[in-house]
C-alpha cells in the first residue's frame, strides 16, 4: 500500500538541503519503500544554515555541529545521497524519466521533488567581484568569510536584513569596525514594524555597530591586487573595508522548474499539498511560493527552516498519497548578539500593532493585528510572549489589542476563547 | 564515547554514542531517534526538544538558564521538575550513561 513496488525507479529529490532531507526522512517514516535519491550540488551532506551567520561565524561552533544527520543515518534508511552533483537537465518523460548531473551521471526516477532552495541576490555595482566581497549561504561561504574576518579590521555589511544584522553582530563580537549600509530608511523593513526596526538600530549602535541608513552602494573599490579597500555610497562618501558582506536578499532557484514548464512567480508556485502546476511534481522550501494560509488569493514566499521542514512533510504526504499533516503556525527566529528574536505568525498586511513592554529593557514584544484579530508576534528576549501567541494562533484565539500591552498579566492569561473559524492551523493540539 | 539512553514516547529504547561537547538533542537527531523534533536545530528558540532527565543525572546536567526556564514554562507536554531542553545539555565524560525520557509531545 505504501509507495511503489520495489521495481520502481523511486523518487528523485533535487536539492540536498533542509527541505530535501526532510522529504526523504518523511517518505521513509511514511513507509515508502522505493529508492530515494537525494541529489545535491554541494559537497556537504544536508546541514543547518542558520548558524552560518551566527555561532559558526562567531567561531563558537564548527562544521561538525552543522550536519543535520550522521552519515550512518543515510545508509540505515537507504537514502542515496548523491553529493557534489548539480542536476542540469530533467527529462520527465513518464516512460522512464531521468535526470542528468553536471558530472554526466544519469539518475532515473518515477517521482520528482524540487527542493532547490534559493541563492543570495548578487551585488551588481562596479567592483562587486573584488576579493573580499562575500555572500553568506553555504558552509563554503561562511568558512571563507570566517577566515577573512580573522585578518580584517573594517567590515561593511550591505543590507540591514536578518543575515546582514546577524553577520554584523558576529563581526562586532570579534572587535572589528562594522558599518551596516541600508538603502531604505529602516532595518528589517520588509518583515517587522517600525518599533522593532528602531530597537535593533539602537541595540546594535550601543554594541558599537555603525549605520548608514537611506544610502545605496554605488561602487566597490580595490587596490592593485584586486582586494577590496572601500565601499562608495550614493551620497559620495567612501567607507574603508577589507571585507564586504552582502546580504540583500535571496532569489529562489527556479531554473529547473522553468525547464519543465512549471508555473513560476518569484518562486515555483505550489498549492497547499506542495504540488506544482504539474501535480505529479512536488516542490518545497525556499524555492517555492504558496498561498497565504489566511488569504489564499495571495502567494507568499517563506524563507525559513520551519517552512522548509513543514512543506517537505506535506510534499512527502502527497507522494505517499496520504492526507497532509495539519498546518502549523509559521515561525522564525534570529539571534543577533545576545538578542533573541522569535516571530510567530505572518505580520504582513497588519493594520495595527501593540508594543508590550519597554524596548529600552531589551526584552519586549510587538503584537500585530489585522481587523482586530491577532496575526503575529515579534518577541525580543521574551519567550513567554512568543510561546503564548504561537499557541493562540494555533487555536484560533485572539488577545485583544486593548489589553495586550498590559505587562502585569501574562499573555496566556489574556487569551480569548478559541474560535474554530479563525484557526490559522487545522488540527494542531493546544 | 559517552552514551545516552533515551526512552522514546512509544516505549522504544535508544542507546546512542555522543561526541564530547555535542548536545543531547544533536546526538539524538543525528542518529534518527524519534520524538525529539528540534525545529530550531539547537538555537533555544522552539522548545521542541523537551526531555525529562532521570533523577540520577539531574545534578550532573546542571540547571536551565533563565531563557530556557521560560521556554520550558510553555512546552506542549507538561513541565516537570526534571524537564530540560535537550539542545542545552552538552555531553561530557561525566554524563556517560545519561538517561532521559523524551516528552510525549513537542
Ligand atoms: C546565513 C543564513 C542564516 C539563516 N538563518 C535562519 C534562521 O535563523 N531561522 C530560519 O528559520 N531560517 C534561517 N535561514 C533560512 C533557512 O536556512 C532556509 O530557509 C532553509 O535552509 C531553506 O531550506 P531549503 O531546503 O529550501 O533550501 P537550502 O537549504 O538552500 O537547500 C537547497 C539545496 O539545493 C541545492 N541545489 C540547488 N539547485 C540544485 C540542482 N540543480 N541540483 C542539485 N542541487 C541543487 C543547493 O545547493 C542547496 O544545497 C538562514 C539562511 C541563511 C543562508
Ligand atoms: S532544538 Fe529548539 S529549543 Fe532545543
Amino acid at each position: 500500500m505504501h509507495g511503489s513496488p520495489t521495481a520502481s525507479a523511486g523518487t528523485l529529490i533535487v536539492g540536498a538541503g533542509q527541505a530535501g532531507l526532510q522529504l526523504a526522512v518523511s517518505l521513509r517514516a511514511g513507509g515508502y519503500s522505493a529508492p530515494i535519491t537525494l541529489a545535491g550540488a554541494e559537497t556537504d551532506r544536508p546541514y543547518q544554515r542558520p548558524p552560518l551567520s551566527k555561532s559558526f561565524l562567531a567561531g563558537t561552533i564548527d562544521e561538525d555541529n552543522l550536519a543535520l544527520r550522521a552519515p550512518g543515518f543515510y545508509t540505515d534508511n537507504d537514502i542515496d545521497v548523491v553529493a557534489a552533483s548539480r542536476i542540469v537537465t530533467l527529462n520527465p518523460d513518464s516512460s522512464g524519466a531521468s535526470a542528468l548531473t553536471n558530472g554526466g551521471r544519469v539518475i532515473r526516477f518515477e517521482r520528482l521533488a524540487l527542493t532547490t532552495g534559493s541563492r543570495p541576490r548578487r551585488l551588481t555595482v562596479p567592483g562587486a567581484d573584488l576579493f573580499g566581497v562575500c555572500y553568506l549561504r553555504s558552509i563554503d561561504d561562511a568558512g571563507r568569510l570566517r577566515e577573512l574576518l580573522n585578518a580584517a579590521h573594517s567590515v561593511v555589511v550591505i543590507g540591514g536584513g536578518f543575515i546582514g544584522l546577524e553577520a554584523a553582530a558576529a563581526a562586532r563580537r570579534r572587535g572589528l569596525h562594522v558599518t551596516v549600509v541600508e538603502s531604505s530608511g529602516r532595518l528589517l523593513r520588509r518583515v517587522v514594524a517600525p518599533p522593532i526596526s528602531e530597537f535593533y538600530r539602537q541595540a546594535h549602535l550601543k554594541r558599537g555597530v555603525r549605520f548608514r541608513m537611506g544610502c545605496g552602494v554605488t561602487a566597490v573599490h580595490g587596490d592593485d591586487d584586486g582586494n577590496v579597500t572601500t565601499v562608495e555610497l550614493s551620497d559620495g562618501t567612501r567607507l574603508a573595508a577589507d571585507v564586504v558582506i552582502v546580504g540583500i536578499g535571496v532569489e529562489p532557484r527556479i531554473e529547473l522548474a522553468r525547464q519543465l514548464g512549471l508555473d513560476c512567480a518569484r518562486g515555483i508556485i505550489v498549492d497547499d499539498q506542495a504540488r506544482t502546476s504539474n501535480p505529479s511534481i512536488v516542490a518545497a522550501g525556499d524555492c517555492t511560493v504558496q498561498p497565504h494560509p489566511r488569504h489564499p488569493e495571495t502567494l507568499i514566499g517563506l524563507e525559513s527552516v520551519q517552512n522548509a521542514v513543514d512543506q517537505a512533510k506535506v510534499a512527502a504526504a502527497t507522494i505517499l498519497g496520504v492526507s497532509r499533516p495539519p498546518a502549523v503556525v509559521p515561525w522564525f527566529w534570529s539571534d543577533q548578539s545576545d538578542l533573541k528574536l522569535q516571530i510567530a505568525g505572518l505580520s504582513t498586511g497588519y493594520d495595527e500593532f501593540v508594543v508590550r513592554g519597554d524596548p529600552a529593557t531589551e526584552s519586549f514584544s510587538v503584537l500585530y493585528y489585522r481587523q482586530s484579530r491577532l496575526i503575529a508576534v515579534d518577541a525580543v528576549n521574551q519567550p513567554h510572549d512568543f510561546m503564548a501567541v504561537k499557541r493562540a494562533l494555533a487555536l484560533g484565539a485572539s488577545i485583544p489589542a486593548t489589553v495586550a500591552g498590559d505587562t502585569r498579566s501574562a499573555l496566556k492569561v489574556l487569551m480569548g476563547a478559541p474560535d474554530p473559524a479563525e484557526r490559522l492551523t487545522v488540527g494542531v493540539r493546544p | 564515547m559517552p552514551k545516552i539512553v533515551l526512552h522514546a514516547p512509544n516505549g522504544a529504547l535508544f542507546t546512542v554514542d555522543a561526541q564530547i561537547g555535542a548536545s543531547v538533542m544533536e546526538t539524538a537527531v543525528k542518529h534518527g531517534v524519534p520524538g525529539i523534533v528540534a525545529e530550531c536545530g539547537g538555537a533555544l528558540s522552539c522548545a521542541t526538544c523537551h526531555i525529562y532527565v532521570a533523577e540520577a543525572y539531574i545534578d550532573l546536567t546542571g540547571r536551565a538558564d533563565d531563557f530556557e526556564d521560560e521556554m520550558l514554562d510553555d512546552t506542549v507536554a507538561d513541565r516537570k521538575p526534571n524537564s530540560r531542553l535537550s539542545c542545552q545539555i552538552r555531553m561530557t565524560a561525566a554524563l556517560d550513561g545519561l538517561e532521559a525520557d523524551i516528552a510525549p509531545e513537542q
Side-chain angles (χ1 to χ4, degrees):
Chain A
M1 64 171 224
H2 290 304
S4 332
T6 33
S8 155
T11 296
L12 169 64
I13 303 170
V14 184
Q18 191 90 48
L21 169 70
Q22 184 62 50
L23 225 164
V25 168
S26 296
L27 281 176
R28 282 289 179 250
Y32 191 74
S33 57
I36 298 176
T37 310
L38 182 56
E42 296 183 68
T43 44
D44 294 285
R45 289 177 170 215
Y47 61 88
Q48 310 181 52
R49 293 181 204 281
L52 297 180
S53 50
K54 307 178 181 78
S55 44
F56 183 83
L57 200 56
T60 52
I61 66 161
D62 276 306
E63 228 175 290
D64 290 348
N65 304 106
L66 297 176
L68 282 164
R69 291 292 185 279
F73 177 86
Y74 299 100
T75 30
D76 291 352
N77 288 276
D78 203 9
I79 296 167
D80 186 11
V81 184
V82 182
S85 300
R86 175 172 299 283
I87 302 295
V88 288
T89 316
L90 286 167
N91 163 18
D93 187 341
S94 52
S95 64
S98 63
L100 181 68
T101 70
N102 57 345
R105 177 168 165 188
V106 174
I107 301 170
R108 306 216 162 272
F109 63 88
E110 185 177 298
R111 293 301 295 266
L112 179 65
L114 298 173
T115 52
T116 47
S118 55
R119 63 166 67 82
R121 263 183 66 201
R122 311 299 287 188
L123 188 67
T124 52
V125 302
D129 50 1
L130 286 165
F131 186 81
V133 177
C134 299
Y135 296 82
L136 204 40
R137 181 76 197 174
S138 63
I139 285 190
D140 289 349
D141 294 341
R144 177 167 165 260
L145 177 57
R146 205 156 81 156
E147 245 161 58
L148 289 176
L149 289 181
N150 284 337
H153 294 286
S154 306
V155 178
V156 169
V157 176
I158 303 178
F162 286 122
I163 290 183
L165 292 178
E166 289 177 354
R172 187 61 206 133
R173 222 172 226 193
R174 290 163 167 259
L176 308 177
H177 281 273
V178 181
T179 308
V180 175
V181 181
E182 166 57 49
S183 60
S184 81
R186 62 182 179 93
L187 301 172
L188 301 169
R189 206 184 118 97
R190 264 188 335 115
V191 278
V192 301
I196 300 275
S197 300
E198 183 51 21
F199 165 77
Y200 273 104
R201 201 180 63 85
Q202 300 279 359
H204 285 293
L205 266 177
K206 228 169 81 183
R207 289 162 175 78
V209 175
R210 291 158 207 222
F211 289 95
R212 298 298 303 268
M213 304 300 293
C215 270
V217 170
T218 51
V220 182
H221 301 284
D223 60 18
D224 294 341
D225 298 328
N227 297 311
V228 58
T229 52
T230 57
V231 173
E232 188 176 333
L233 306 184
S234 47
D235 64 1
T237 49
R238 286 188 181 204
L239 302 172
D242 23 38
V243 174
V244 175
I245 304 173
V246 183
I248 53 175
V250 297
E251 287 163 359
R253 291 184 190 265
I254 58 175
E255 308 77 45
L256 288 177
R258 281 251 156 86
Q259 207 185 87
L260 294 170
L262 303 179
D263 291 348
C264 295
R266 178 185 140 76
I268 307 167
I269 300 175
V270 296
D271 64 10
D272 63 1
Q273 316 276 323
R275 290 178 303 205
T276 66
S277 56
N278 174 343
S280 71
I281 302 175
V282 294
D286 278 17
C287 64
T288 67
V289 291
Q290 58 184 306
H292 186 291
R294 277 176 167 280
H295 310 281
E297 64 288 356
T298 312
L299 290 174
I300 51 167
L302 296 173
E303 290 136 22
S304 68
V305 167
Q306 175 272 322
N307 178 62
V309 167
D310 286 307
Q311 219 178 10
K313 291 180 182 170
V314 172
T318 294
I319 291 177
L320 290 165
V322 300
S323 58
R324 54 156 289 169
V328 300
V329 177
W331 77 276
F332 186 81
W333 78 95
S334 172
D335 292 330
Q336 300 168 35
S337 180
D338 52 349
L339 305 167
K340 181 180 289 297
L341 173 66
Q342 291 165 292
I343 298 178
L346 301 172
S347 63
T348 34
Y350 68 87
D351 52 25
E352 185 186 357
F353 63 79
V354 174
V355 179
R356 178 177 160 86
D358 179 5
T361 62
E362 300 201 335
S363 167
F364 72 107
S365 58
V366 172
L367 286 82
Y368 296 83
Y369 294 83
R370 179 162 169 164
Q371 291 168 346
S372 307
R373 283 296 312 182
L374 178 65
I375 56 170
V377 67
D378 295 341
V380 177
N381 288 344
Q382 196 52 262
H384 280 313
D385 288 358
F386 167 72
M387 297 294 270
V389 173
K390 193 162 173 258
R391 180 79 50 93
L393 293 173
L395 290 169
S398 194
I399 297 167
T402 43
V403 294
D406 182 358
T407 51
R408 287 166 306 178
S409 309
L411 284 183
K412 61 179 168 191
V413 176
L414 297 172
M415 196 191 306
D419 175 353
E422 287 296 338
R423 274 195 170 181
L424 178 73
T425 62
V426 194
V428 170
R429 243 168 275 182
Chain B
M1 269 187 186
K3 288 196 186 315
I4 306 174
V5 182
L6 292 165
H7 299 262
N10 65 4
L13 186 71
F14 291 86
T15 304
V16 287
D17 290 325
Q19 310 266 13
I20 302 265
S23 73
V24 172
M25 176 285 289
E26 200 183 324
T27 310
V29 170
K30 280 186 184 172
H31 289 89
V33 176
I36 294 186
V37 179
E39 279 182 11
C40 76
L44 188 48
S45 293
C46 69
T48 63
C49 61
H50 182 192
I51 59 170
Y52 304 111
V53 176
E55 283 303 321
Y57 291 91
I58 291 210
D59 290 336
L60 289 170
T61 57
R63 296 275 150 204
D65 70 12
D66 291 349
F67 201 95
E68 182 186 342
D69 191 62
E70 287 195 35
M71 295 283 290
L72 281 167
D73 281 342
D74 296 293
T75 47
V76 180
D78 284 345
R79 177 175 191 170
K80 298 182 189 166
N82 56 344
S83 281
R84 288 294 308 269
L85 295 178
S86 58
C87 66
Q88 301 302 306
I89 303 173
R90 301 231 156 252
M91 287 304 289
T92 59
L95 279 176
D96 184 25
L98 171 68
E99 208 175 330
D101 290 338
I102 298 172
E105 287 176 73
Q106 298 286 353

